[in-house]
Amino acid sequence: GAVVSQHPSRVICKSGTSVKIECRSLDFQATTMFWYRQFPKQSLMLMATSNEGSKATYEQGVEKDKFLINHASLTLSTLTVTSAHPEDSSFYICSARDPKGDRRGATEAFFGQGTRLTVV
Amino acid sequence: AQSVTQPDIHITVSEGASLELRCNYSYGATPYLFWYVQSPGQGLQLLLKYFSGDTLVQGIKGFEAEFKRSQSSFNLRKPSVHWSDAAEYFCAVAPRGFQKLVFGTGTRLLVSP
């Protein structure tokens, strides 16, 4: 299947600083990418949908100014956690759709490995 | 609102025994249905998916799932569980057009010797 690479896998940052997480589709062009947040032993909560060349669509309750999403190219989306606080500590996962899969009737989303963010 | 329910938070199965993980969804029309597996600290791997056609879907690692429209269910099964199957399993749905995935709360599978 297609490969989605997420970097870094782990990051520790100081409270008040910003941290950027990258999500890359390695062997396909992803017009749409998704960012999820997962709390310990809980499910994945969709934070936002990132569309190449346009503004991200945020889910209700997600602060747009805190979680900045940029989808600058068809293979890269970034999530920047601004002015991070300890409560932002979580596991962040991105996923990407391969639009060619739709035509093959094989729509699915491919997931990155996740990023463990710890804010101290 | 669309939702996905996985009623079992934890399940313990003996190695070699059969497994069934339950998933029910609430949605106006039949959505796309998925099962993912997540190992600790890792991303998600797709086990199988249902879009249309045959209601019994075969996936990787010996897993299968059956879509039952009348019950709005998409239960995951495996005839013989291996110790390496211990992980978190998520059922997910996406509306036709695949705008986004909605995940269930997950079921943690423990495999006993």
Side-chain angles (χ1 to χ4, degrees), chain A residues 34 36 38 42-44 46 59 91 93 97 105-109 111-113, chain B residues 34 36 38 41-44 46 49 51 90 97-101 103-105:
Chain A
F34 305 90
Y36 294 85
Q38 185 179 30
Q42 295 190 26
S43 187
L44 285 77
L46 180 66
E59 295 298 301
F91 193 60
I93 305 177
R97 284 181 59 200
T107 301
E108 68 176 275
F111 285 80
Q113 308 94 316
Chain B
F34 305 82
Y36 287 89
Q38 183 183 33
Q42 300 294 314
L44 277 71
L46 179 68
K49 58 191 175 187
F51 294 155
F90 291 98
F98 203 113
Q99 295 304 308
K100 60 183 180 183
L101 277 170
F103 284 86
T105 49

Side-chain angles (χ1 to χ4, degrees), chain A residues 4 9 12 23 25-26 30 33 41 43 50 62-63 71-72 74 80-81 84-85 87 90 93 103 118-119:
Chain A
V4 174
S9 58
I12 301 173
C23 180
S25 56
L26 298 185
M33 291 187 175
K41 300 183 179 180
S43 187
S50 168
V62 177
E63 298 178 60
H71 196 153
L74 287 171
T80 301
V81 183
H85 290 282
E87 56 265 31
S90 193
I93 305 177
R103 292 192 285 276
T118 303
V119 184

Side-chain angles (χ1 to χ4, degrees), chain A residues 28-33 50-53 71 74 97-99:
Chain A
F28 66 98
Q29 294 183 326
T31 53
T32 305
M33 291 187 175
S50 168
N51 298 296
E52 188 269 336
H71 196 153
L74 287 171
R97 284 181 59 200
D98 180 357

Side-chain angles (χ1 to χ4, degrees), chain A residues 32-76:
Chain A
T32 305
M33 291 187 175
F34 305 90
W35 286 96
Y36 294 85
R37 181 174 181 176
Q38 185 179 30
F39 292 99
K41 300 183 179 180
Q42 295 190 26
S43 187
L44 285 77
M45 302 301 297
L46 180 66
M47 298 174 66
T49 301
S50 168
N51 298 296
E52 188 269 336
S54 63
K55 291 183 178 180
T57 302
Y58 289 81
E59 295 298 301
Q60 190 173 7
V62 177
E63 298 178 60
K64 301 178 182 181
D65 295 333
K66 179 162 197 58
F67 299 100
L68 300 179
I69 291 173
N70 184 287
H71 196 153
S73 75
L74 287 171
T75 59
L76 174 64

Side-chain angles (χ1 to χ4, degrees), chain B:
Chain B
Q2 50 191 282
S3 65
V4 183
T5 302
Q6 292 181 249
D8 303 305
I9 298 175
H10 301 279
I11 282 186
T12 300
V13 176
S14 298
E15 190 169 15
S18 63
L19 169 71
E20 182 169 30
L21 302 182
R22 295 182 290 167
C23 174
N24 292 93
Y25 66 90
S26 174
Y27 194 71
T30 301
Y32 298 141
L33 297 160
F34 305 82
W35 273 100
Y36 287 89
V37 60
Q38 183 183 33
S39 297
Q42 300 294 314
L44 277 71
Q45 182 182 25
L46 179 68
L47 289 175
L48 46 78
K49 58 191 175 187
Y50 172 79
F51 294 155
S52 64
D54 193 345
T55 56
L56 185 62
V57 180
Q58 302 297 321
I60 63 172
K61 303 183 179 184
F63 285 93
E64 67 177 27
E66 185 172 12
F67 167 61
K68 293 185 177 181
R69 185 189 306 274
S70 62
Q71 300 177 18
S72 296
S73 69
F74 189 56
N75 294 346
L76 181 71
R77 300 194 294 248
K78 186 169 184 177
S80 178
V81 169
H82 188 262
W83 64 267
S84 60
D85 293 325
E88 188 87 20
Y89 290 81
F90 291 98
C91 180
V93 304
R96 299 281 161 166
F98 203 113
Q99 295 304 308
K100 60 183 180 183
L101 277 170
V102 176
F103 284 86
T105 49
T107 298
R108 179 164 296 278
L109 173 64
L110 304 173
V111 180
S112 60

